[in-house]
Amino acid sequence: MPELPEVETIRRQLAPRLAGRLILDARAHESAKFASAVAARGARIGEVQRRGKYLLFALDNDHELIVHLGMTGMLRIAEPGVTDQYVRAAWDLDDGAVLEYRDVRRFGRIAVVPRGSYASLPTLAAQGPEPFDDAFTPQQLWTALGTSTARVKTQLLSQRPVAGVGNIYADEALWRSRVHPASRHVTKPQAARLHEAVRHVLAQGIDNGGTTLRDYRNFEGGRGENQFALACYGRGDEPCLRCATPLRRTVIDARGTTFCGTCQRR
DNA sequence: CGCAGCGCCTGAAGGC
DNA sequence: TGCCTTCAGGCGCTGC
């Protein structure tokens, strides 16, 4: 599932490839989740930025094209003559290439909005700080987590305490910081450890080009390598790398969750 | 207003 | 072998 490291890997690859390109034409799946992709027709692409898991393409008409990859979304340059029933949007570029958005399960989303107007994307509008910005601090994380009584993992997945953490990196960060995923309250030291852990696991994910367990591919079609660096996610019943206790698998907020019942205390 | 619960999607994998 | 069930889960929306 594309989380911040996967989206950032894609952004770094496609930004230089797409900057300055004019969108000559566009097509999209009829679903409201993708239909507005055609509104980018006639615009020139500027800077490509990322906010959490959202890709933001600046357009020269005071709008921006926003792409969220959901579970199985991917961006790529089309191969000539190849048809694919899972392509949900396509943009014809002025250099002859076709940018495609492919999404088997259609959990992703595309929007064209006036620059900075995110009312139609409430999760984007309400997101917490970028994890590598100065605004993300141990104190800020502790305060943010304290405003809700929801489980700490649920809060991380809400994107509100910090942007960009999904199920894989949430399990990794909670394991690294020794915080129990179902905790409804975290201490200041726990928040400080979680702050460090979020930055660590996301930075490592970027360094490794993202995590490819099933569907994730980068803009060049390649796989990430971070799946070989995971300490917790997907390792249920395998020994904890700190204490050797078999990791436990449970469900929190309808998401598969792996954690160490010995190291990670409430 | 906050939040729990639900629905969207479809291929892969496992059971019988 | 083939059919059926279960599973993966981010996020927008609804209703309490």
Side-chain angles (χ1 to χ4, degrees):
Chain A
M1 58 219 82
E3 305 178 30
L4 186 151
E6 290 73 33
V7 178
E8 177 61 18
T9 299
I10 291 166
R11 189 197 69 78
R12 290 179 182 183
Q13 293 175 326
L14 62 70
R17 176 67 182 79
L18 300 183
R21 295 277 62 76
L22 181 65
I23 298 172
L24 299 177
D25 201 0
R27 301 165 294 288
H29 187 273
E30 61 186 4
S31 159
K33 287 180 155 190
F34 310 114
S36 82
V38 302
R41 188 182 290 142
R44 194 175 293 277
I45 300 172
E47 220 177 337
V48 183
Q49 296 177 307
R50 179 194 53 72
R51 185 78 173 89
K53 307 175 196 173
Y54 293 80
L55 280 168
L56 311 174
F57 300 77
L59 302 177
D60 67 351
N61 58 2
D62 291 324
H63 282 61
E64 55 188 311
L65 168 66
I66 301 176
V67 176
H68 190 289
L69 301 170
M71 288 290 294
T72 55
M74 62 182 72
L75 287 160
R76 66 185 185 191
I77 298 296
E79 290 186 40
V82 177
T83 58
D84 184 330
Q85 62 173 313
Y86 301 117
V87 171
R88 311 303 185 185
W91 299 270
D92 296 339
L93 307 179
D94 62 348
D95 61 0
V98 179
L99 175 65
E100 286 184 338
Y101 175 74
R102 180 182 193 266
D103 187 351
V104 172
R105 288 165 63 187
R106 291 193 256 159
F107 271 40
R109 190 175 189 87
I110 298 173
V112 175
V113 302
R115 189 161 304 160
S117 299
Y118 302 144
S120 63
L121 299 155
T123 302
L124 172 59
Q127 265 185 143
E130 281 295 310
F132 300 112
D133 278 2
D134 291 342
F136 181 53
T137 67
Q139 174 71 41
Q140 170 270 328
L141 179 61
W142 182 71
T143 301
L145 291 173
T147 64
S148 165
T149 57
R151 294 176 173 87
V152 61
K153 177 167 178 181
T154 303
Q155 289 203 60
L156 287 175
L157 296 179
S158 79
Q159 309 302 302
R160 278 183 286 193
V162 58
V165 177
N167 204 38
I168 294 173
Y169 297 98
D171 276 8
E172 292 295 301
L174 290 164
W175 178 86
R176 180 177 172 84
S177 59
R178 309 193 309 278
V179 174
H180 194 293
S183 294
R184 292 184 185 273
H185 173 262
V186 299
T187 65
K188 238 176 175 176
Q190 284 179 318
R193 294 203 304 270
L194 184 57
H195 172 269
E196 183 280 337
V198 165
R199 283 191 163 172
H200 177 91
V201 301
L202 293 178
Q204 180 177 256
I206 293 170
D207 287 346
N208 287 326
T211 302
T212 299
L213 295 173
R214 298 177 199 83
D215 301 293
Y216 168 69
R217 296 294 184 278
N218 62 37
F219 186 58
E220 313 292 344
R223 297 166 185 263
E225 300 290 334
N226 198 58
Q227 60 275 21
F228 305 116
L230 298 178
C232 182
Y233 181 91
R235 295 191 64 247
D237 297 328
E238 294 178 44
C240 173
L241 297 178
R242 266 190 309 257
C243 75
T245 304
L247 296 177
R248 288 175 54 191
R249 188 173 151 75
T250 184
V251 175
I252 292 178
D253 195 33
R255 275 136 182 105
T257 299
T258 305
F259 69 103
C260 178
T262 300
C263 296
Q264 291 171 255
R265 291 296 184 183
R266 294 199 199 219

